[in-house]
Amino acid sequence: MATTNDLKNGMVLKIENQLWQVLEFLHVKPGKGPAFVRTKLKNVTSGKIIDKTFNAGTKVETANVDRRDMEYLYNDGTDYVFMDLEDYDQVSLAPELVGDSANFMLENQKVQVAFHDGAALYIELPPSVELAITHTEPGLQGDRSTGGSKPATVETGYEIQVPLFLEEGTKVKVDTRSGEYLGRVKE
C-alpha cells in the first residue's frame, strides 16, 4: 500500500482488480478546499487511458511489478522471442502484448519486459532507437516556404516522415513513443 503522495511515473497500481500504470500525475492544492492528485492512468492489459482524481493522502494499492532486462532475439512467425540477460531463459510473447513496439525492435536489441505474478505485462523500449532507411523516394526541392518531408521505410518495415534530403541507407534516430524522426545519426 502507498498513498497518492508517493505516486511516481511508471508505477503500477491495482485498482478494482485491474493493473493501471501511472503515466502522469499532478498534485493540486487549490486556494479553497482540500488538496488532490490528478493522474493519467493506462490499463496495462487493454491499453486504455483514463484520467482519475484522488484526494491527497488516499491509500492506493501498488502492484508488484518485476522489470527484467531482456534481449529481443527473433520473431518465430507468430510470437516474439526474448532472452533474459541474467539467467538466459527464453520467453515467447504474443504480438498483442508486444503491440506497436514491434515497429522499433531489431534483433539483439535490449528492452525491458515487465512481469507481474510470472506473467508478462508490457515491453519498455528505450526512448529512441537508431534505424536505417531501407526505402525512400528521391526528395524534390520545390517552391516551399518550409522544409518538406517525405515518407521513408526503416529496416523494421515501419514508415516514418523524414526531411527531403535523406537517402536510402542513412541511419536515423526515431522516437519510440511517437514514431517521429529525431535526427540523423553521425557515423
Side-chain angles (χ1 to χ4, degrees), residues 69-73 81-85 88-91:
D69 289 326
M70 300 192 112
E71 184 176 311
Y72 169 58
L73 296 179
V81 180
F82 295 85
M83 178 179 67
D84 193 322
L85 293 175
Y88 305 110
D89 281 346
Q90 292 188 6
V91 178

Side-chain angles (χ1 to χ4, degrees), residues 52-168:
K52 188 163 177 68
T53 305
F54 299 96
N55 290 330
T58 303
K59 292 208 180 294
V60 289
E61 188 177 352
T62 58
N64 186 15
V65 174
D66 177 28
R67 288 180 174 83
R68 295 187 206 154
D69 289 326
M70 300 192 112
E71 184 176 311
Y72 169 58
L73 296 179
Y74 58 90
N75 181 338
D76 66 5
T78 53
D79 292 342
Y80 294 86
V81 180
F82 295 85
M83 178 179 67
D84 193 322
L85 293 175
E86 288 182 20
D87 57 13
Y88 305 110
D89 281 346
Q90 292 188 6
V91 178
S92 293
L93 300 181
E96 301 82 45
L97 195 77
V98 175
D100 291 338
S101 298
N103 296 330
F104 308 106
M105 288 189 322
L106 290 174
E107 292 180 357
N108 304 323
Q109 181 177 343
K110 310 279 188 280
V111 298
Q112 274 197 334
V113 180
F115 290 89
H116 175 69
D117 292 338
L121 298 176
Y122 56 89
I123 293 175
E124 287 181 1
L125 292 173
S128 64
V129 292
E130 295 176 0
L131 300 170
I133 295 175
T134 55
H135 176 72
T136 187
E137 298 296 326
L140 299 173
Q141 290 291 68
D143 297 328
R144 238 189 305 287
S145 60
T146 60
S149 64
K150 61 181 178 179
T153 305
V154 292
E155 55 192 312
T156 60
Y158 187 64
E159 191 172 279
I160 60 172
Q161 291 292 320
V162 298
L164 292 171
F165 60 85
L166 291 179
E167 300 170 352
E168 290 181 13

Side-chain angles (χ1 to χ4, degrees), residues 2-7 26-28 33-39 52-60:
T3 66
T4 53
N5 299 333
D6 302 327
L7 291 181
L26 178 67
H27 290 275
V28 180
F36 57 92
V37 179
R38 200 176 277 142
T39 62
K52 188 163 177 68
T53 305
F54 299 96
N55 290 330
T58 303
K59 292 208 180 294
V60 289

